[in-house]
Amino acid sequence: MTPARLPGPTTMSSVPPPLTTAQTTAAVADERVRLADWAAALTREQWQAPSLCEAWTVRDVLAHLTTTTRLSVPLLAREAIRARGSFDRLEVNLAAARAQRHSTAELLQQLRASAESSRRFPGSSPVDPLMDLVIHAQDIARPLHLAYRTPEHVVTACLEHVVGNRFTGAPERVAGLHLVSTDSGWTHGTSSERGDGRRGGSEVRGPGLDLLLAISGRRAGLDALSGPGVDALSERLRPA
């Protein structure tokens, strides 16, 4: 079966159309293979470094990314009871178990092997595993001061998905803000103009990846953002 082709970067100033299900599946496969190949060069010390996810090391994030296609309803039910109903605790427990059970080389191979799998967390959409991969790749790369690039159209698809995803808390973070991706032209929210024609106090602009990190709860994304709405977004990212 010939895999679906990923769309290339748009040559127009407009935002590219949403990815189809086939294109999303192809993007997930591509991200899994690319991230595994990129991460294979990390040192032992880098694997043990803290990630942007407070509870996880870099290696724990990798272990988490291998769980998506290996979950079953009985396993989830058992782990939900163990986590006493906390989804965050459930994810931490699952990642910890896989990190303990498998070597780093095995986890990398599992991530590659899952490239063609369409299995995902029960109740999730086709874009959710793509969003997970794109964000967690930055959770790994940024604390290590390394660059990991994701195609612009994939970042845009994740931005469009996450702003309406209540599970991530993004809708509350971006309420009343006008978001602008400076590399793709993607926008979200209503812009306002003052009497002098300048933008009002709600705009937040910057590279798509940094917007994606910030609106998904990572303060690391704020540094590259600008605009009068950044202070409001920053305040919403402070711990409760």
Side-chain angles (χ1 to χ4, degrees):
M1 178 172 153
T2 303
R5 294 186 56 141
L6 293 174
T10 178
T11 57
M12 302 175 62
S13 59
S14 60
V15 178
L19 300 183
T20 65
T21 299
Q23 288 168 341
T24 300
T25 300
V28 169
D30 182 62
E31 285 299 307
R32 283 174 175 157
V33 172
R34 288 197 314 109
L35 181 57
D37 290 346
W38 178 90
L42 297 182
T43 66
R44 181 182 180 86
E45 291 74 21
Q46 288 172 321
W47 282 118
Q48 298 306 318
S51 73
L52 291 184
C53 300
E54 185 176 338
W56 287 339
T57 64
V58 166
R59 190 170 181 275
D60 291 333
V61 176
L62 172 66
H64 164 71
L65 289 173
T66 68
T67 65
T68 306
T69 60
R70 294 170 174 83
L71 293 172
S72 65
V73 172
L75 173 61
L76 281 175
R78 184 169 67 249
E79 289 299 325
I81 293 171
R82 182 183 169 211
R84 301 188 298 279
S86 168
F87 183 79
D88 288 343
R89 193 179 297 120
L90 180 149
E91 288 201 314
V92 168
N93 291 345
L94 285 172
R98 292 196 65 79
Q100 183 175 16
R101 188 180 308 125
H102 300 285
S103 69
T104 302
E106 289 172 335
L107 292 172
L108 287 168
Q109 181 53 38
Q110 289 169 10
L111 185 59
R112 289 191 189 94
S114 65
E116 301 303 324
S117 175
S118 60
R119 290 184 63 184
R120 58 182 187 269
F121 198 90
S124 64
S125 76
V127 188
D128 282 311
L130 182 61
M131 177 185 70
D132 213 34
L133 282 159
V134 173
I135 293 173
H136 282 319
Q138 298 303 312
D139 289 336
I140 290 173
R142 298 214 174 188
L144 300 178
H145 305 289
L146 299 174
Y148 179 82
R149 306 297 182 194
T150 297
E152 184 180 291
H153 61 281
V154 173
V155 176
T156 300
C158 292
L159 280 167
E160 188 64 25
H161 179 67
V162 76
V163 289
N165 189 326
R166 295 196 175 279
F167 184 77
T168 66
E172 291 78 12
R173 295 188 192 103
V174 304
L177 299 179
H178 177 59
L179 309 178
V180 180
S181 171
T182 53
D183 40 24
S184 72
W186 174 87
T187 65
H188 175 80
T190 303
S191 62
S192 61
E193 292 188 354
R194 303 191 304 227
D196 57 7
R198 297 170 61 189
R199 292 295 182 190
S202 66
E203 185 172 276
V204 178
R205 60 190 299 113
L209 270 175
D210 295 279
L211 281 173
L212 183 63
L213 285 179
I215 65 179
S216 62
R218 277 79 169 165
R219 295 190 64 84
L222 292 172
D223 290 345
L225 304 183
S226 62
V230 171
D231 287 345
L233 179 57
S234 177
E235 186 63 30
R236 295 170 189 179
L237 290 175
R238 295 185 187 281

